[in-house]
Amino acid sequence: MHLTMAFAQLYSMLLSLLFALCSPSVLSQTSSNITPGNSLIAGEDGSLWASPSAEFAFGFKQIEENGFLLAIWFNKIPEQTIVWSVDGQNLAPKGSKVELTSNAWFRLVDPNGKQLWDASLSRTRVVAYAAMLDSGNFVLCGQDSHNLWQSFEQPTDTILPGQVLNQPAQLVARYLPTNYSRGRFLFNLQPDGNLLLYTTFFPTDLVNFAYWSTQAFGTGFSLIFNLSGYIILRADNGTIISTISSNTLSTQNFYQRAVLDYDGVFRHYIYPKNSGSSTGSWSTFSVTPSNICLRVNGVMGSGACGFNSYCTFDGTNKSCQCPNGYSFIDPYDVMKGCKQDFVSQSCDQTSREIDLFDFLEIPNMDWPFSDSEQFELVSEDWCKQECLADCFCSSVIFKNGYCWKKKQPLSNGRVDPSIRGKALIKIRKDNATLILKDNNKDNDRSQLIIIGSTLLSSSVFLNLVLLVVACLVAYRCGRSNPKGDQAVQLTSTMNLRSFTYEELWKGTKGFTEELGRGAFSIVYKGFLPNTPGNLIAVKKLNMVKGSEKEFEAEVSAIGRTHHRNLVQLLGFCNEGEDRLLVYEFMSRGTLAKFLFKDQRPTWYQRVDIAIGIAKGLLYLHEDCSTQIIHCDIKPQNILLDDAYTARISDFGLAKLLKIDQTVTTTAIRGTKGYVAIEWFKNKPITIKVDVYSFGVVLLELICCRKNFDMNVEDEHKMVLIDWVYDCFHYGKLDLLVEDDEEAQIYMKKVEEYVKIGLWCIQEDPSGRPTMKQVVQMLEGFMDVSNPPYLSSFTSQR
Ligand SMILES: *[C@@H]1O[C@H](CO)[C@@H](O)[C@H](O)[C@H]1NC(C)=O
Ligand SMILES: *[C@@H]1O[C@H](CO)[C@@H](O)[C@H](O)[C@H]1NC(C)=O
Ligand SMILES: *[C@@H]1O[C@H](CO)[C@@H](O)[C@H](O)[C@H]1NC(C)=O
Ligand SMILES: *[C@@H]1O[C@H](CO)[C@@H](O)[C@H](O)[C@H]1NC(C)=O
Ligand SMILES: *[C@@H]1O[C@H](CO)[C@@H](O)[C@H](O)[C@H]1NC(C)=O
């Protein structure tokens, strides 16, 4: 008996020794207590204090470039899930220090010595040591080993097995999954004994609506997460008032945590320990409340999702969505709600626009509040007509002969089978119902040939220049690497599928149906089950240089981007010479095809497309994990999906197609296309090159013509950006939309958009706005001032 125990001990010692040897960062600082004079510095490698088993660690987690979070995390799982942190609102800069000072003070200071946080201890208490315990609790202890302070008593949004919260106590949801600042939901164990979940009036902590509660009254109540994985509300005398989660899975075999998630759901998660492979992950064990969408019913506030959006719950996950015709104000913070994408109905008595609106039907949907009027014993048709006749009515709920008219903003939206009624959402038709004949394909091609031959005959030189520019662009973008390479990710962790060449050969029927071609690739149509429409676009790359690893790293960076205005990469093929990319199929083809044809798209479609491109670029520049400079924004690279949403394609390719050619650039200066001036001046290439190209595309969208149009007779008009500038300069913008009656109605908007376009094509990159500003201006959230005098324009004439 004793012998086996001794063996077991020896064995575990050996194991931990092995572990320690294998992870040098932990080697220096395991188990031992942290004594005064010790500190950790934000940004220094391996700067952490691990618990004896190394299952938890205390230290700095990098959240952004120069922002660190002082935190405790699960240290043995790849996710390193954070369970506790200090002030996610104000991240600590690089070089900040957390220290147990020699005069027994535990605090966080920035590199200048300014105190950012301290464990508020009474001055008379002397800390003898600090320790990161295996339970996940970080403690400060006095001489007599008494706890003076512990992280378990200062929870953020998470509780762990072994943790007890005594009333009063509170968990605050974080703002977004990776933003640790205070969010919109609270979990409260109140002084009176009640345990509640609240929505707040964000950004304050003022409570709004309690969407879940367990009643108790008096003192002596605790919330206990015990070591068998039960989460219970218990009275002092041992009576269990309420069981929030019960778990028979032992904490020996599973990591466990319970979190008030950013979406307002309190979830109990489990994670198998020693799963032996890398396939372990957190899974949801229980959720509270059982359906948050139906529970949040505040008269004030937007509900479980943002204004004008609706909430669905699948038993684990909450999802917020916008009805068609609406889109998220901020796709990364869907709780900000949805905005209407069309112009509201006019209230003008003479033009009530009744014919211009129609209804979108969503079954089992309700917006319980925001009623303006209620009718009984009416038909659905009557209900619709009533809403059409009322310019304030944005939608109606119809159920069993009842008709409720709704006004904006809509709140507490939800879809659930238990609701039974239906929502009829009023949307503008012209945007929704668009007739487009696909019969101009041939037309397009012949036009292309004509233009091609004109170009060829008029100037072989120009073609040469274009080719050189293309190479130059690819070369310099290939090298620009603003945020540094992320570590190469295993493809198995992405959603990307790795195809064999044979699969793609079959899927494209032997690469027969060509969709388009560029300097470095040819795109084919393909068929693949379980994709939208069972269609894909396969891009066959030629001239890809670099190793397999590099290729996969670049492809995985592209695969990590997800945005509604980008064409999603689905997979790739990497077999020797054959390198192919597989994309979603975009049924409506390129913007070039859509825009430069006889029947022009409506003004609204063009505005939508402009905003879509801008948002896609904003995402590439600012919001994806590795900044991506597109380098080749032009109408041929913007595709349109079924709903005519603009989707940027070919992003990330410039870097993938590293082309090592050096080119003399002097001959190119002055060529006008989509390429910014800095390409020719050997200046650094920044995201502002995309802003320039976007500006050109925007002007093309406004005027429905190519920037460079040889067919135009009047020489002044041949280069669009010059002509636009002249028109603007002489106050003659109406000339730009001469034969576009629709745009003439919106002359003020046309002028604003022209100004935005001119700002974007400033010669000085720093004078151009950022894509964020462009989006704000396009959406009317930011005033557009007059662009400065553009010296480059006149000087070249
Ligand atoms: C988190 O969100 C807040 C509120 O919008 C914002 O001020 C802060 O900069 C964000 N923090 C990070 C790291 O993105
Ligand atoms: C945890 O609580 C449950 C329910 O009260 C109880 O059955 C179980 O024995 C408790 N486990 C521990 C380790 O206290
Ligand atoms: C224990 O406390 C609860 C709440 O205060 C009370 O309802 C219950 O009667 C008490 N039970 C006993 C056995 O005292
Ligand atoms: C909930 O969302 C997570 C993360 O997005 C996902 O992994 C999980 O499969 C989803 N669960 C369900 C039931 O859809
Ligand atoms: C209007 O156009 C935008 C962009 O193309 C699209 O997202 C939206 O769904 C359209 N509205 C309707 C009602 O179809």
Side-chain angles (χ1 to χ4, degrees):
M1 186 70 190
H2 273 97
L3 206 66
T4 44
M5 269 178 66
F7 261 112
Q9 240 166 19
L10 194 67
Y11 179 68
S12 77
M13 265 172 65
L14 273 173
L15 264 186
S16 56
L17 191 67
L18 255 175
F19 177 77
L21 284 174
C22 296
S23 41
S25 66
V26 185
L27 186 63
S28 52
Q29 324 174 300
T30 33
S31 63
S32 59
N33 292 335
I34 299 132
T35 48
N38 271 308
S39 62
L40 298 176
I41 310 274
E44 275 186 7
D45 269 356
S47 180
L48 54 79
W49 290 320
S51 72
S53 67
E55 288 193 343
F56 287 95
F58 178 96
F60 289 100
K61 274 253 159 236
Q62 186 162 15
I63 302 297
E64 50 179 36
E65 179 111 27
N66 187 27
F68 291 79
L69 191 65
L70 186 58
I72 297 170
W73 62 86
F74 281 98
N75 196 38
K76 274 196 177 172
I77 58 174
E79 292 87 347
Q80 302 213 326
T81 316
I82 290 178
V83 298
W84 179 89
S85 64
V86 162
D87 193 3
Q89 189 93 44
N90 303 299
L91 297 173
K94 193 175 172 128
S96 295
K97 180 161 78 165
V98 61
E99 58 182 348
L100 184 56
T101 65
S102 50
N103 54 358
W105 202 239
F106 191 69
R107 59 179 198 159
L108 171 64
V109 293
D110 75 8
N112 302 321
K114 183 174 154 242
Q115 180 168 314
L116 301 175
W117 172 83
D118 75 325
S120 321
L121 298 172
S122 139
R123 282 268 177 193
T124 57
R125 295 183 146 170
V126 176
V127 181
Y129 63 92
M132 180 71 249
L133 306 182
D134 279 337
S135 57
N137 194 7
F138 187 82
V139 294
L140 301 177
C141 297
Q143 229 83 40
D144 50 2
S145 297
H146 260 85
N147 284 351
L148 301 176
W149 181 94
Q150 46 184 324
S151 61
F152 269 14
E153 284 182 354
Q154 314 284 330
T156 45
D157 58 357
T158 304
I159 54 173
L160 295 170
Q163 194 162 354
V164 175
L165 301 184
N166 295 311
Q167 71 190 101
Q170 172 170 288
L171 304 178
V172 183
R174 68 184 68 151
Y175 177 53
L176 289 172
T178 54
N179 181 324
Y180 295 82
S181 85
R182 295 165 87 85
R184 301 173 165 99
F185 302 92
L186 293 183
F187 185 90
N188 241 337
L189 176 56
Q190 299 193 329
D192 64 9
N194 275 336
L195 184 63
L196 302 113
L197 284 167
Y198 278 113
T199 63
T200 63
F201 290 112
F202 185 76
T204 71
D205 282 349
L206 192 65
V207 296
N208 175 12
F209 183 81
Y211 54 99
W212 177 86
S213 76
T214 168
Q215 297 292 321
F217 192 74
T219 53
F221 295 98
S222 314
L223 182 72
I224 298 173
F225 194 165
N226 81 13
L227 293 175
S228 322
Y230 282 73
I231 304 173
I232 49 184
L233 179 64
R234 202 185 65 178
D236 243 1
N237 63 17
T239 311
I240 294 172
I241 310 293
S242 176
T243 304
I244 291 108
S245 185
S246 59
N247 192 344
T248 50
L249 302 167
S250 90
T251 47
Q252 300 270 311
N253 300 325
F254 288 89
Y255 293 114
Q256 304 198 15
R257 67 191 167 104
V259 193
L260 175 59
D261 276 322
Y262 79 101
D263 62 359
V265 180
F266 184 73
R267 292 188 180 84
H268 178 175
Y269 291 98
I270 55 173
Y271 191 115
K273 287 188 190 177
N274 310 319
S275 55
S277 67
S278 59
T279 55
S281 68
W282 288 109
S283 55
T284 307
F285 180 80
S286 76
V287 297
T288 307
S290 56
N291 184 338
I292 189 172
C293 299
L294 301 180
R295 291 303 273 276
V296 182
N297 280 312
V299 177
M300 283 193 276
S302 61
C305 287
F307 285 113
N308 294 337
S309 61
Y310 62 92
C311 181
T312 54
F313 197 75
D314 65 4
T316 313
N317 290 347
K318 178 180 108 175
S319 155
C320 298
Q321 281 156 54
C322 299
N324 272 353
Y326 289 73
S327 61
F328 286 120
I329 291 174
D330 179 354
Y332 304 100
D333 183 8
V334 297
M335 287 289 295
K336 282 189 179 149
C338 307
K339 65 180 169 49
Q340 188 180 302
D341 285 337
F342 51 87
V343 172
S344 298
Q345 189 176 0
S346 158
C347 285
D348 193 335
Q349 273 304 328
T350 53
S351 63
R352 293 181 23 215
E353 300 192 327
I354 289 180
D355 295 342
L356 298 184
F357 285 82
D358 205 347
F359 290 93
L360 175 82
E361 182 176 323
I362 305 184
N364 295 320
M365 177 190 248
D366 198 6
W367 319 90
F369 301 105
S370 339
D371 293 345
S372 59
E373 281 169 298
Q374 171 182 330
F375 306 95
E376 290 174 33
L377 298 174
V378 295
S379 69
E380 185 179 326
D381 200 47
W382 188 92
C383 186
K384 285 182 177 174
Q385 292 308 322
E386 184 57 32
C387 183
L388 277 181
D390 175 358
C391 63
F392 295 121
C393 175
S394 67
S395 60
V396 284
I397 299 292
F398 184 78
K399 183 177 175 179
N400 300 335
Y402 277 85
C403 168
W404 289 273
K405 266 203 243 173
K406 303 284 171 184
K407 57 187 180 214
Q408 292 228 340
L410 298 155
S411 63
N412 291 282
R414 73 276 307 267
V415 168
D416 191 84
S418 66
I419 290 169
R420 293 201 186 88
K422 64 169 89 164
L424 299 160
I425 297 166
K426 187 158 83 177
I427 48 173
R428 190 177 271 270
K429 269 193 230 169
D430 54 2
N431 183 36
T433 55
L434 168 93
I435 318 112
L436 191 93
K437 287 162 238 114
D438 248 345
N439 60 1
N440 29 42
K441 224 181 222 161
D442 299 325
N443 221 343
D444 241 36
R445 187 158 299 159
S446 54
Q447 234 176 1
L448 211 76
I449 294 166
I450 295 168
I451 292 171
S453 53
T454 331
L455 272 179
L456 206 70
S457 58
S458 68
S459 158
V460 179
F461 169 72
L462 193 70
N463 274 340
L464 203 67
V465 161
L466 285 177
L467 186 69
V468 168
V469 166
C471 293
L472 186 70
V473 164
Y475 170 64
R476 289 181 64 190
C477 273
R479 294 198 313 176
S480 75
N481 187 10
K483 277 192 184 168
D485 270 311
Q486 304 268 324
V488 175
Q489 288 239 338
L490 290 173
T491 44
S492 61
T493 62
M494 314 181 294
N495 291 326
L496 288 185
R497 180 164 156 199
S498 170
F499 291 89
T500 62
Y501 186 79
E502 196 185 332
E503 269 178 290
L504 295 181
W505 194 83
K506 280 188 186 147
T508 56
K509 301 195 174 136
F511 299 106
T512 42
E513 198 171 336
E514 189 177 316
L515 292 171
R517 61 168 70 206
F520 310 109
S521 64
I522 305 178
V523 187
Y524 300 93
K525 186 169 175 179
F527 301 87
L528 184 72
N530 302 325
T531 52
N534 292 336
L535 291 173
I536 49 173
V538 179
K539 186 180 284 274
K540 210 171 174 183
L541 305 171
N542 40 40
M543 302 175 72
V544 184
K545 301 256 166 67
S547 71
E548 235 165 73
K549 265 227 165 72
E550 281 174 294
F551 176 79
E552 292 198 6
E554 288 310 328
V555 166
S556 97
I558 299 173
R560 277 195 299 272
T561 55
H562 300 278
H563 189 273
R564 74 184 290 266
N565 296 113
L566 300 181
V567 179
Q568 184 66 44
L569 182 67
L570 304 174
F572 61 94
C573 164
N574 187 15
E575 283 181 8
E577 294 282 282
D578 295 312
R579 287 176 169 171
L580 299 97
L581 299 175
V582 178
Y583 289 98
E584 290 176 285
F585 181 77
M586 293 290 123
S587 56
R588 309 287 185 183
T590 69
L591 174 61
K593 178 180 141 202
F594 185 57
L595 188 61
F596 307 135
K597 58 179 180 162
D598 296 338
Q599 187 198 354
R600 73 176 82 240
T602 67
W603 173 251
Y604 276 111
Q605 285 175 326
R606 278 137 64 199
V607 167
D608 271 336
I609 289 169
I611 294 177
I613 303 169
K615 286 184 171 172
L617 275 176
L618 169 61
Y619 172 85
L620 291 176
H621 289 177
E622 295 189 18
D623 296 326
C624 56
S625 57
T626 319
Q627 183 181 60
I628 295 176
I629 307 180
H630 189 295
C631 294
D632 199 13
I633 287 292
K634 56 185 179 189
Q636 290 76 7
N637 279 339
I638 313 291
L639 302 180
L640 301 171
D641 66 15
D642 291 344
Y644 295 95
T645 306
R647 309 272 294 256
I648 299 174
S649 77
D650 279 7
F651 51 89
L653 286 198
K655 208 162 162 226
L656 191 65
L657 300 164
K658 291 176 212 173
I659 291 155
D660 39 357
Q661 268 170 294
T662 32
V663 177
T664 335
T665 60
T666 39
I668 312 168
R669 187 173 306 195
T671 313
K672 295 191 184 80
Y674 302 94
V675 227
I677 209 98
E678 53 267 36
W679 289 113
F680 313 109
K681 293 201 165 169
N682 223 13
K683 282 191 185 159
I685 297 308
T686 66
I687 49 177
K688 293 295 180 67
V689 298
D690 287 346
V691 177
Y692 182 94
S693 311
F694 173 80
V696 178
V697 174
L698 177 62
L699 296 177
E700 292 181 326
L701 276 163
I702 296 168
C703 304
C704 286
R705 59 155 277 195
K706 292 194 176 86
N707 182 27
F708 210 69
D709 194 345
M710 292 284 201
N711 293 340
V712 174
E713 276 162 32
D714 186 343
E715 196 186 319
H716 289 297
K717 299 183 181 177
M718 210 172 269
V719 176
L720 177 66
I721 59 177
D722 287 354
W723 188 47
V724 170
Y725 184 72
D726 287 343
C727 291
F728 177 73
H729 193 67
Y730 296 109
K732 286 266 170 218
L733 286 185
D734 47 324
L735 292 178
L736 291 178
V737 290
E738 235 171 356
D739 45 3
D740 184 351
E741 283 171 25
E742 200 197 357
Q744 286 163 12
I745 305 173
Y746 305 104
M747 238 15 243
K748 251 195 116 66
K749 261 273 162 300
V750 171
E751 183 183 343
E752 243 169 53
Y753 274 38
V754 165
K755 286 200 276 187
I756 299 169
L758 292 176
W759 271 110
C760 291
I761 58 171
Q762 295 289 311
E763 183 170 341
D764 175 12
S766 65
R768 297 172 207 151
T770 62
M771 284 318 295
K772 187 172 224 152
Q773 290 166 327
V774 170
V775 169
Q776 285 172 342
M777 290 190 284
L778 289 174
E779 295 194 313
F781 295 131
M782 193 172 153
D783 290 337
V784 192
S785 50
N786 278 338
Y789 182 67
L790 307 178
S791 56
S792 65
F793 284 86
T794 38
S795 64
Q796 284 170 4
R797 257 201 211 107

